[in-house]
Amino acid sequence: MRSFPLFEGLEIKRLQSLLHENRTLLVPAQHQLVFEGDWNDGLFLIRSGVVKVRRFTLPGEEVVIALMGAGEMFGELAMLLGNSRRSADVVALTPLEVVKLRWKTVQEELDRSPGFALGMARLQASRLLSLGRRFSLRGEDASTRVLATLLELAFCSGYGKDPCAPIPDLKQTEIATIAGLARGTTSRIMTRLRSRGTIVATPEGLRFADLEPLRRRGLVEP
């Protein structure tokens, strides 16, 4: 757990306390772990894999709020708000390994450790920034939105926010949903990105081979 920023400052005995009565779950792709509106407790630490957090509009359109990968946590918002009602669905995009932690032990550690509480606050701030970026991208052109989606998936696939990390192997309909675009539009852009060498197929999956289109759009640092 110390390999994850949220826990790196905690002593071994504090980590052991957090892991009291934990459960490790192996989850297949497309399995829904959390249902919006459900009443239950527990929060989940992702050890490997990628999930999407989503809600549905009144007409039934799926809107992806966030993507999360290894080292990130979900289910903590209900705990911090002091109730057990889930605010969104969480669905595995890839095979997933998660550790389910007890709310009580996490809450006790938040009360006991200012450093851990600060780490949790930073996690929430990072989520807020990501949500703001996702919201602002809704006004960009389709190519930018597909590139941003692929980049976010690459970031989620491993540690270190590496733009050249493997991109999880998802159906184009899923990439289109995450980007908020039609499938046909997404398919045309993906074909163009491949033909221009922006993304290439590797044994581990698709990767960015040319970061210049990302730099021009301000998606990565110059």
Side-chain angles (χ1 to χ4, degrees):
M1 289 177 72
R2 273 186 166 170
S3 63
F4 304 139
L6 181 61
F7 304 100
E8 60 186 4
L10 292 179
E11 299 176 0
I12 292 296
K13 64 179 181 179
R14 299 271 63 89
L15 293 174
Q16 291 172 337
S17 174
L18 283 173
L19 288 171
H20 179 63
E21 295 184 2
N22 78 90
R23 294 172 57 202
T24 298
L25 307 174
L26 300 178
V27 181
Q30 302 306 315
H31 180 79
Q32 186 167 341
L33 290 93
V34 173
F35 291 80
E36 180 182 358
D38 269 7
W39 294 89
N40 56 52
D41 60 9
L43 49 85
F44 301 84
L45 173 66
I46 303 173
R47 294 189 63 184
S48 64
V50 180
V51 304
K52 67 178 178 182
V53 183
R54 73 178 183 190
R55 299 188 73 179
F56 287 93
T57 64
L58 288 176
E61 178 186 0
E62 181 181 354
V63 178
V64 177
I65 300 169
L67 300 176
M68 298 182 193
E72 297 193 80
M73 182 181 288
F74 60 91
E76 82 290 347
L77 188 58
M79 178 192 71
L80 294 172
L81 291 173
N83 62 59
S84 302
R85 190 170 187 179
R86 301 304 191 181
S87 59
D89 298 335
V90 180
V91 181
L93 289 177
T94 68
L96 198 69
E97 182 179 359
V98 296
V99 179
K100 186 176 182 180
L101 304 174
R102 296 175 66 242
W103 274 10
K104 182 180 179 181
T105 54
V106 176
Q107 287 173 320
E108 289 173 350
E109 192 58 42
L110 286 171
D111 292 337
R112 182 186 299 117
S113 171
F116 185 56
L118 180 59
M120 185 68 76
R122 286 173 174 158
L123 176 65
Q124 300 308 312
S126 175
R127 297 269 176 82
L128 186 59
L129 287 172
S130 295
L131 181 60
R133 284 193 295 269
R134 178 170 287 277
F135 180 77
S136 65
L137 283 167
R138 289 281 167 163
E140 298 292 342
D141 63 273
S143 293
T144 298
R145 289 160 70 175
V146 171
L147 285 166
T149 295
L150 296 176
L151 178 64
E152 191 174 5
L153 287 167
F155 282 165
C156 286
S157 71
Y159 311 140
K161 297 292 184 181
D162 180 6
C164 296
I167 297 165
D169 184 20
L170 304 181
K171 295 180 179 179
Q172 288 192 358
T173 51
E174 191 69 73
I175 295 173
T177 298
I178 296 169
L181 296 167
R183 183 186 180 281
T185 301
T186 302
S187 178
R188 288 193 296 273
I189 293 170
M190 292 287 290
T191 299
R192 191 184 313 139
L193 293 175
R194 287 188 179 95
S195 66
R196 293 177 177 175
T198 303
I199 55 175
V200 295
T202 72
E204 296 81 20
L206 289 176
R207 291 178 184 260
F208 279 105
D210 180 9
L211 299 182
E212 187 56 31
L214 300 174
R215 295 190 185 100
R216 288 200 307 267
R217 291 168 168 82
L219 298 174
V220 295
E221 294 294 328

